[in-house]
Amino acid sequence: MLIRQLFDQASYTYSYLLADTDSGEALLIDPVFEQTDLYIQLLSELKLSLKYALDTHVHADHITALGALRERLGCQTIVSHISGLACADQHVADGDKIHCGKIALTVLATPGHTDDSLCFYLAPSASNPQGYLFSGDTLLIRGTGRTDFQNGSAETLYHSLFNKVLTLADDTLVYPAHDYKGWTQSSIGEEKANNPRLQVSQASEFVDIMHNLKLANPKMMDVAIPANLQCGQKTSQPFDESKLKMKRHTAAFTTAEQIQPSDVAAIAAKGYSLIINNRPDNEAEGQPSSDEIAQAAADAGLQYAHIPIQRSLPQNAIDEMASQLQKAQGPSFAFCRTGTRSTNLWLCTLKGAEQAQAIEHAKTLGYDLSLAKQALNL
Ligand code: FE
């Protein structure tokens, strides 16, 4: 058997590839739409055939790859019956088994983070003396999923944790759907002993902790939930992302080449709430003016900002960019001729480790970062 943990940097999501290496049958838990090519490459390199793609719940912070994987590989998609997603092939409930070669995953219904939350449990076997729990957002490492939206309930999560998840053997390995700090795996015993949210003696104490977290909504929420209710295939408005050479830096920020006013409605449909134009008017023949883009943005109900950049990144432009991004109600979409100036300007609005990570990621997207390096004295 093969178990591979995969990471989506933009949403801090872990996805898991499980495969029975004898039969070559595989399944993917919580795959992320933007990583679809990577999954397909890995499956092909490992000579595996994808039988199932499954989600632990309807995610608010990223778009699922269930629909894309089904379309490209012909796998079956599986979600909780509580989710009511008509787009999925199979709907599972507590106690159901998912068979993939010699792998048998048991479905545990663990509502609380969302009402449709599931964990997937792989019981110990001769080759794996410890059980594995793919815990979704129900149990995170030293944390738990939040309970303040998507029909979440702290009281329900308490019962799912204490009456179900934590009754598994202490040596059961825990693999969550997210981590924001660098943890990769844990165990039930380790979490019982060290997870601060589990150091409670009754439900009311847990509920108090959960009600006092004061978290901001995920920036992707308004995009991801509607898309995920279609299994990640939002087909109401066809939108050719490749045409615009869109590059996603984080869940909240994407850059692209010069857009046309006619692209704006599709950008809005994709869930962006702010368009930033970093190109001076009249730079090239046939370039739409800032006023034309502004009008299209207003028509589509989007915020719009024009922060023109030429050969350097003045501090007032960096400040204006930061202020516009701060005010954005959801993910932002910035463009110039190639997306390079937008990327460089955005990098200068970030700080510390976040900036360092974004620079590394922007390099992998192929952007020339000399403007930012000059502005930041790197
Ligand atoms: Fe979640």
Side-chain angles (χ1 to χ4, degrees), residues 201-218:
S201 54
Q202 53 191 344
S204 61
E205 277 178 58
F206 182 77
V207 170
D208 276 347
I209 295 176
M210 297 308 291
H211 286 179
N212 287 303
L213 294 176
K214 298 195 176 67
L215 302 165
N217 280 345

Side-chain angles (χ1 to χ4, degrees), residues 72-109:
R72 293 177 59 182
L73 300 177
C75 66
Q76 293 264 300
T77 55
I78 304 180
V79 296
S80 161
H81 74 112
I82 303 286
S83 70
L85 297 190
C87 54
D89 300 304
Q90 293 187 33
H91 300 83
V92 290
D94 191 52
D96 283 353
K97 292 262 199 286
I98 298 168
H99 293 278
C100 179
K102 285 200 285 289
I103 297 170
L105 278 183
T106 304
V107 175
L108 305 180

Side-chain angles (χ1 to χ4, degrees), residues 56-62 113-114 117 136-137 145-146 149-150 177-178 180:
T56 51
H57 61 293
V58 173
H59 296 280
D61 51 9
H62 67 266
H113 167 59
T114 61
S117 283
D137 288 359
R146 60 199 291 177
F149 56 74
Q150 286 185 284
H178 292 289
Y180 305 91

Side-chain angles (χ1 to χ4, degrees), residues 214-226:
K214 298 195 176 67
L215 302 165
N217 280 345
K219 283 219 163 186
M220 275 289 275
M221 187 166 150
D222 299 334
V223 196
I225 295 176

Side-chain angles (χ1 to χ4, degrees), residues 214-275:
K214 298 195 176 67
L215 302 165
N217 280 345
K219 283 219 163 186
M220 275 289 275
M221 187 166 150
D222 299 334
V223 196
I225 295 176
N228 287 340
L229 295 175
Q230 309 292 328
C231 294
Q233 289 182 310
K234 210 170 160 224
T235 50
S236 54
Q237 236 159 325
F239 183 44
D240 186 358
E241 289 188 30
S242 58
K243 193 193 91 187
L244 295 179
K245 302 237 168 41
M246 286 175 60
K247 291 184 177 172
R248 191 181 67 139
H249 294 267
T250 67
F253 187 74
T254 294
T255 50
E257 291 185 351
Q258 173 72 51
I259 62 167
Q260 298 299 319
S262 58
D263 295 323
V264 171
I267 293 167
K270 193 82 187 153
Y272 292 95
S273 69
L274 167 65
I275 293 187

Side-chain angles (χ1 to χ4, degrees), residues 14-201:
Y14 285 132
S15 309
Y16 298 93
L17 173 70
L18 273 62
D20 170 13
T21 40
D22 292 338
S23 67
E25 286 188 344
L27 60 85
L28 266 167
I29 297 173
D30 288 330
V32 175
F33 178 78
E34 282 79 1
Q35 305 293 347
T36 305
D37 287 342
L38 176 100
Y39 306 140
I40 292 175
Q41 179 191 342
L42 182 60
L43 287 160
S44 142
E45 288 172 355
L46 300 181
K47 301 188 172 48
L48 299 171
S49 87
L50 191 67
K51 187 173 182 192
Y52 296 119
L54 37 156
D55 272 343
T56 51
H57 61 293
V58 173
H59 296 280
D61 51 9
H62 67 266
I63 294 176
T64 177
L66 258 58
L69 288 166
R70 177 174 58 187
E71 193 173 281
R72 293 177 59 182
L73 300 177
C75 66
Q76 293 264 300
T77 55
I78 304 180
V79 296
S80 161
H81 74 112
I82 303 286
S83 70
L85 297 190
C87 54
D89 300 304
Q90 293 187 33
H91 300 83
V92 290
D94 191 52
D96 283 353
K97 292 262 199 286
I98 298 168
H99 293 278
C100 179
K102 285 200 285 289
I103 297 170
L105 278 183
T106 304
V107 175
L108 305 180
T110 54
H113 167 59
T114 61
D115 56 356
D116 70 326
S117 283
L118 303 174
C119 293
F120 299 114
Y121 175 64
L122 186 64
S125 62
S127 54
N128 292 292
Q130 291 164 287
Y132 287 77
L133 183 73
F134 300 93
S135 59
D137 288 359
T138 298
L139 179 60
L140 304 179
I141 300 175
R142 310 300 190 260
T144 65
R146 60 199 291 177
T147 54
D148 55 338
F149 56 74
Q150 286 185 284
N151 300 322
S153 155
E155 180 98 33
T156 308
L157 180 58
Y158 176 87
H159 291 293
S160 290
L161 287 167
F162 283 86
N163 299 331
K164 196 172 268 177
V165 170
L166 301 179
T167 64
L168 294 169
D170 278 354
D171 68 355
T172 306
L173 297 169
V174 171
Y175 285 97
H178 292 289
D179 192 83
Y180 305 91
K181 295 182 174 165
W183 303 100
T184 54
Q185 67 163 62
S186 184
S187 69
I188 292 292
E190 192 179 316
E191 289 310 302
K192 273 190 199 165
N194 302 298
N195 188 320
R197 293 192 193 167
L198 304 181
Q199 311 309 311
V200 294
S201 54

